[in-house]
Structure formats: C-alpha cells, structure tokens
Amino acid sequence: MSAIVTLITGILFGLGLAFSEMTNPAVVIGFLGIFGNWNPSLLIVMASAIAVGMLGYIIKNKQIKPLLSNKWQVPSLRHIDSKLIIGSVLFGIGWGLSGYCPGPGLTALINNPAEGFYFISALIIGSGLHYFQARSGLK
C-alpha cells in the first residue's frame, strides 16, 4: 500500500510540476529575475505548496500516527546552522543560474536531454562530494 501511495504522490507531484511549467527553466528564470521581465505566475505554485504543507501539519497534529507508518517522520533539527545557510545559498544559485531544481531536472532528461544530462551529472557529483566529505569528517 505504501508503494501505491508513493507512486500516486509522485505522479501528482510530476503533474503539478508540468502543469505549473516548473519544468520549463525559462519560466523559472523569469520568476527569479525580478529586475527584468518578471513572471509572477509561480507565486501560485509556491502558495499552493505552502498550503499543502500546512494541511500536512494540521493532519499530523490531529492524528497520533500516520495511516501507513508507525510514526511521523518530521525533521528534528530546529536551529539554523552554517550547513543550512550554505546549502540554501548553493541551491538558490544553482536554481537561479540553470532554472532547474532536482524534480524538474529529472524531467529535463527527456524534455531537454543535453541540459538535463549536465544538470543531473552536476547534481550527482555534488551529492557524492557531500557524501564523502560528511563521511570523512572534514568540515
């Protein structure tokens, strides 16, 4: 049952990305470029995402445990640290320069294979570097 719910959730997420044109880097860059030809259409996408997230927390607070798991899996970290700030800055720079974040980047492998390949390759290399840096204990 969990796999079916995960599949349905993934399909809904993908349809939402496609319908909102989050898979089109030109639309994303148009939204992020507030000093040029700004395209505010993605405000609806962000507002919808916030609403869904809030709904999730309302449901979590009303139920003792989730329907398909033994416990809620909510991040326990409650403070802002340098890793969060650096990661957020790097994510924002990458998103602003390329117009892709991980979900739409995967769709680019089909929609725009050349850009998708470079984006996903950089994503894998960056994730690998972080993994090995974290395992080695380097700061």
Side-chain angles (χ1 to χ4, degrees):
M1 186 64 162
S2 180
I4 292 170
V5 171
T6 301
L7 176 65
I8 291 169
T9 303
I11 290 170
L12 284 173
F13 181 72
L15 287 172
L17 289 176
F19 181 72
S20 66
E21 293 194 72
M22 287 285 292
T23 58
N24 182 350
V27 171
V28 174
I29 290 172
F31 173 72
L32 296 174
I34 59 174
F35 299 113
N37 282 338
W38 185 55
N39 178 356
S41 64
L42 294 184
L43 282 175
I44 296 168
V45 176
M46 290 187 180
S48 299
I50 291 168
V52 169
M54 289 173 62
L55 180 63
Y57 273 98
I58 289 169
I59 291 169
K60 179 205 165 281
N61 290 334
K62 291 190 182 283
Q63 291 184 337
I64 295 171
K65 70 180 196 91
L67 295 174
L68 301 174
S69 182
N70 292 328
K71 66 176 187 161
W72 292 104
Q73 296 180 11
V74 179
S76 59
L77 212 57
R78 299 275 186 231
H79 66 281
I80 296 173
D81 61 2
S82 61
K83 290 181 183 180
L84 177 64
I85 293 171
I86 292 168
S88 300
V89 167
L90 289 174
F91 178 88
I93 289 170
W95 193 31
L97 290 174
S98 70
Y100 291 116
C101 61
L106 287 173
T107 66
L109 289 172
I110 295 169
N111 298 342
N112 191 350
E115 282 186 14
F117 173 77
Y118 289 123
F119 178 83
I120 295 300
S121 296
L123 180 69
I124 291 169
I125 290 168
S127 297
L129 288 172
H130 174 266
Y131 173 79
F132 288 116
Q133 177 266 328
R135 289 198 70 208
S136 70
L138 297 175
K139 292 186 178 188

